[in-house]
Structures are given as C-alpha cells and as structure tokens.
Amino acid sequence: MAAVNGTSPKVTLYTNHGCPFAHRAHITIKELGLEHEEVVIDLTKPRDPWYLDINPRGLVPTIDFNGHIITESAIVSQFLADAYPSHLLPPADSVDNALKRARINFFTDTWNTKVGMSWMKIAMEDSKEEQEKLTKELVSTVEKEIDPLLSDAAPFFGGSSRLTFAEALVAPMIIRLYAFAKDGLLPQSVADGLDGLGNFSKWAAEVVKQESVTYIWDEERTIQQTRTKLAQLKAKATH
C-alpha cells in the first residue's frame, strides 16, 4: 500500500455491502489496493449512538483516515483517489491530466444529474404502461447524455484499459440496473433498451465483470433488500 507522508495510514471503512453508495468506496479502495479495516453498519435499524458520534447523518460510507472522518460516497472516493494518484484518477499536475479529470467529472456529473436514481421511479410504479413509459425515458436519456461520452471507451472511460474514477462512481448503479431487470424488479425492457446502445452496452458489459465491482456484490441479497425497501416506501406513500 502506498504511504502518505512516509507512513502507512490507518483506514477504517464503515459500510454496508448492499448500499450502492458505499459500493463506490469499495471499488475505489480495491482498485487502489488499500489495506483497511471494515465495519458493517446495519441499515435496517436506527443507528447506534456510537456511529452517530462518527457520522451524525448515520449514512454510509464513512472512512476514518488516520483519525480524520470523511463522509459521503463521492467525497470519500475522491479523497482516496486524490491521496493515491493512479489509473483511476491522475494528479492535477498538468493540463493534460486536468483535462482527463474534467472529462471524468463531467461524465459522473452527467450520470448523477441526468440518470441517477431514476430507476426507482420505475420500480415504484404499479402501472405496467407507466413503467414502460418511464423505461423509454431512462433509455433515451442514457442514449442522449451518456452513450456519446463513451465513444472512445477501450474498454473503459477515455480509452483506458483499466477502470477509471468514472467507473468507480457509476458501476454500482450499472450492475444494479441489469440485476434488477433480470429479476423482474425492473422491466426487462430496461436491460434490452440499454443493450441496444452501442457504446454503453459494450462498456457496461466490461464494467460489471470487474473484480473490484463484484467482490462484495451479493445479487440475491441486494435484490431482496431492495424489494423490502421499495415495499416500505410504497406503504409509506399510501399513508
């Protein structure tokens, strides 16, 4: 593991393997090869006071990096990628590297703002007709906003042969979209529509089979947890 200021840091990751946002930190840490301790937080019950003392929001992921607490998935991942420049994200020490970082940031921002968690609207909808309408909107958005940004993927973002920070932040959502469609939690037309996009489909197929993306991935358990969560949200919405 790389050292910071000449010493190896003590890193503790507070996480939950079913959380797509915590998944980002896992991918980043795995790609960087960082040694760390892991503490799993049960998200199905109120947070224990000791964890709220660490992260008052009660969310995951959180990292304790040499006594410094860092929260929010994108910020945690960004910090680690900045602390350890690698194939994920080069240091901003040249115009060329700054441009690479800007393109990655634009890609992840586009995903987050244009696509994000829109799949939940589909999963929450009981009407099959409305589900298909929302599915077409999701696929159309990916085709318009995301697919062109992957024109030079080889196989990963920006022509990289290894995962980049773009994949680290977006992969948790990609693997879930396909898994949920296969299971029926989302319409199969979600996967079929995405597979019809030339750049995106080839890129996604490579992303979802990478070890850093799959090593904590428990598809059956994640689907079960997601179904439970959606049922709770639907019940809450009817009251």
Side-chain angles (χ1 to χ4, degrees), residues 75-100:
I75 296 173
V76 167
S77 302
Q78 182 82 54
F79 166 76
L80 293 173
D82 281 338
Y84 301 97
S86 68
H87 59 283
L88 283 180
L89 195 65
D93 57 2
S94 68
V95 171
D96 183 57
N97 280 351
L99 284 170
K100 290 179 181 178

Side-chain angles (χ1 to χ4, degrees), residues 10-17 21-30 34-41 50-51 54 59-66 68-73 76-77 80 215-216:
K10 177 176 173 55
V11 181
T12 301
L13 171 66
Y14 299 90
T15 184
N16 182 286
H17 290 186
F21 301 104
H23 199 169
R24 291 170 161 178
H26 281 279
I27 295 171
T28 302
I29 285 174
K30 185 73 168 179
L34 294 180
E35 296 175 6
H36 65 288
E37 296 178 0
E38 183 178 306
V39 178
V40 175
I41 303 300
W50 68 263
Y51 186 59
I54 295 172
L59 303 174
V60 292
T62 298
I63 61 168
D64 182 331
F65 187 91
N66 281 348
H68 298 284
I69 301 300
I70 303 168
T71 63
E72 300 300 317
S73 63
V76 167
S77 302
L80 293 173
Y215 82 104
I216 66 157

Side-chain angles (χ1 to χ4, degrees), residues 128-145:
K128 296 297 183 182
E129 182 179 353
E130 188 63 23
Q131 278 194 334
E132 289 302 328
K133 176 185 175 183
L134 293 171
T135 294
K136 288 181 180 179
E137 290 177 2
L138 184 151
V139 173
S140 176
T141 298
V142 175
E143 180 178 24
K144 177 183 176 181
E145 302 286 351

